[in-house]
Amino acid sequence: MSAALSGAVDLSALKARAEAQRNAPPPSSGAPAGGGGASAAVIDVTEATFQAEVVERSLQQLVVVDLWADWCGPCKQLSPVLERLAEQSGGAWVLAKVDVDANPRIAQVFGVQSIPTVVAIAGGQPVNAFSGALPEPEIRQWLDQLLEALKGKLPGIPPSGADGAEEPEDPRFTEAEAAFERGDFATAEAAYQRILDVEPANELAKAGLAQVRFAARAAEADPSAVTRADASPDDLDAQFAAADYEVATGKVEDGFSRLIEAVRRTAGPDRNRVREHLVGLFDLFDPADERVAAARRNLASALF
């Protein structure tokens, strides 16, 4: 029913295209058949506006991308439901409508096989998706689970308990956090992985797993990692170790810049390895962190 896309797609692929078209006239205010754009809760998005309206906006709030076409019958069933739910959300999330015929590059970036396809974007990355015209109750449940998982992760979604009511502790997370605090990274990793085996879209468990894996790597790093990496710029493992050490010691921009430069020097599978490692480091921080936002822009420039 759904397919988690987190980490599988780099949305910054569209940034260069957007910059090239930044002086293009804005999209028509009249929504095409199956399209939205009637209010702030529903916006029409093109290749030229995708970076600003989807990627950058998703650093602040959840953006749900509806990939549709005028000839698609199921799209005409699904789109009105999504638009109504967006209007009723009170600003909890925004629906971004993409006509795939007019904007084929966006569909290519997502690797869309069929439409309608709906992709949830948070923190500049896809976090979940589904294809087909699902019944409204299932869509509501999908959205509720996403918003719950993202509480406190984005500025536009307050943390649980923000209204004064305390959330009961989840013993699964208590076990993982206790293991992490005592430095038992293997046990903590296993605990977070068990949560994800049952709830693949659980963003808190994903974030915890990323933190644990990084901590395990950082525990093995030492100052000589930077020296070794500087002496061997083509040694990717050395670059990864050095970047981990720099991030762990507070030199976050240095670690990000090191891997962005490695992206510029590499191609094919090696480039993808570097990108994945860098995106993993991004996941350690608040998506709204300006250092992450700046590094994502620089990564886009390096890739395209």
Side-chain angles (χ1 to χ4, degrees):
M1 180 190 305
S2 64
L5 300 179
S6 181
V9 179
D10 197 317
L11 299 183
S12 57
L14 295 164
K15 182 172 183 291
R17 179 67 166 261
E19 289 178 346
Q21 300 181 28
R22 68 173 59 182
N23 294 322
S28 169
S29 59
S39 73
V42 182
I43 54 177
D44 289 308
V45 174
T46 67
E47 292 170 1
T49 62
F50 189 90
Q51 177 72 18
E53 295 285 15
V54 174
V55 178
E56 294 178 11
R57 185 189 292 263
S58 76
L59 300 178
Q60 303 296 319
Q61 67 183 135
L62 175 66
V63 179
V64 175
V65 179
D66 176 18
L67 296 140
W68 66 279
D70 187 49
W71 48 264
C72 169
C75 297
K76 295 177 182 178
Q77 299 173 22
L78 177 66
S79 290
V81 174
L82 292 172
E83 290 165 17
R84 183 172 66 256
L85 294 178
E87 296 282 0
Q88 295 172 353
S89 75
W93 56 279
V94 170
L95 179 65
K97 310 270 310 161
V98 176
D99 180 344
V100 297
D101 285 343
N103 303 278
R105 185 171 172 84
I106 296 177
Q108 291 169 7
V109 166
F110 283 117
V112 171
Q113 303 274 326
S114 63
I115 57 172
T117 288
V118 177
V119 185
I121 313 293
Q125 290 292 318
V127 294
N128 215 323
F130 69 82
S131 296
L134 298 184
E136 182 171 336
E138 292 188 32
I139 299 173
R140 286 183 179 274
Q141 182 180 28
W142 183 77
L143 288 165
D144 288 344
Q145 290 175 344
L146 279 171
L147 292 169
E148 181 65 28
L150 292 170
K151 279 184 176 178
K153 308 294 286 185
L154 298 175
I157 306 176
S160 299
D163 58 359
E166 290 190 9
E167 294 280 333
E169 290 189 4
D170 186 328
R172 301 174 302 172
F173 283 92
T174 302
E175 175 193 0
E177 290 161 5
F180 182 83
E181 289 175 3
R182 66 175 181 264
D184 186 351
F185 301 133
T187 297
E189 179 175 353
Y192 282 123
Q193 188 60 59
R194 283 195 296 272
I195 297 172
L196 290 171
D197 289 342
V198 178
E199 302 174 30
N202 191 309
E203 293 300 316
L204 292 178
K206 288 181 183 179
L209 186 61
Q211 292 279 356
V212 167
R213 287 175 172 170
F214 174 75
R217 298 198 311 267
E220 302 296 324
D222 60 70
S224 66
V226 174
T227 303
R228 291 196 302 272
D230 289 344
S232 304
D234 295 329
D235 184 339
L236 295 187
D237 289 334
Q239 300 306 315
F240 297 157
D244 287 347
Y245 177 81
E246 287 168 330
V247 170
T249 55
K251 298 179 180 178
V252 177
E253 291 97 331
D254 290 347
F256 288 170
S257 295
R258 175 181 297 280
L259 294 186
I260 289 168
E261 289 306 310
V263 167
R264 297 183 193 279
R265 294 193 300 268
T266 53
D270 283 347
R271 171 177 280 198
N272 196 50
R273 281 185 64 204
V274 179
R275 184 192 68 78
E276 288 179 349
H277 196 98
L278 180 55
V279 170
L281 293 181
F282 290 163
D283 289 342
L284 301 174
F285 298 88
D286 187 320
D289 191 312
E290 178 53 35
R291 296 171 298 181
V292 174
R296 285 193 186 280
R297 291 191 293 270
N298 292 335
L299 174 60
S301 177
L303 285 168
F304 303 98

